[in-house]
Amino acid sequence: MEDVLKGRLGGADGFDVRCSLDGDRIVGRAGGRLHGKDIVLEITETGVQGTVGSEPVLVQLEEGELRGNVGREKISLRGVDRVTGFFGEPIVGWRIVAQQDGTRLQGQLGSTVLGRAFEFDLGSAPGWVGALVAVVAFYALEPRASAAR
């Protein structure tokens, strides 16, 4: 049976995310066939690297925190099953909060009014992987996710 991380970012107005988990590789898609982006990530000994669409993803484990970039935006994540962090720049960025309950992950990017909720079935992945995939998908498809766009 295939190990899959799948769910939805942004509720009814959002988009689907579906990724296959194969060892240390995460390969999938955010959004649909026409309006979507491929996600290819690899978990390394020191972090995660890969691409979303044509944009690079590179985060490194530093002092117990994942820090790096998704495309042109900075990201920092802390925690394993209770994940917190920040995406973007301080003034125009997005707060990240997510909680794992068994194989389910529920979270929020940004505020409850202007942000995007997400909910994933993690398969065998830990909560921090689901939170990172949510941010990568958000960056790929949400026009407000990058101040530089």
Side-chain angles (χ1 to χ4, degrees), residues 5 26 83 98 105 118 120 122 125-136:
L5 182 153
I26 302 161
V83 182
L105 180 72
F118 60 90
F120 289 143
L122 294 169
W128 70 267
V129 169
L132 179 61
V133 168
V135 172
V136 167

Side-chain angles (χ1 to χ4, degrees), residues 11-81:
D13 294 333
F15 43 86
D16 292 323
V17 178
R18 183 177 175 89
C19 296
S20 295
L21 306 171
D22 183 16
D24 293 335
R25 288 185 48 86
I26 302 161
V27 179
R29 190 152 180 93
R33 285 184 228 174
L34 295 177
H35 179 65
K37 298 274 176 91
D38 291 330
I39 297 171
V40 179
L41 301 174
E42 184 173 358
I43 301 169
T44 66
E45 290 182 15
T46 59
V48 179
Q49 63 187 17
T51 58
V52 57
S54 62
E55 299 280 339
V57 175
L58 181 61
V59 292
Q60 299 294 318
L61 185 60
E62 298 174 11
E63 300 171 11
E65 190 172 294
L66 280 174
R67 297 181 190 154
N69 289 75
V70 175
R72 295 177 296 272
E73 299 295 327
K74 293 180 185 176
I75 184 173
S76 66
L77 292 175
R78 293 170 294 289
V80 177
D81 56 353

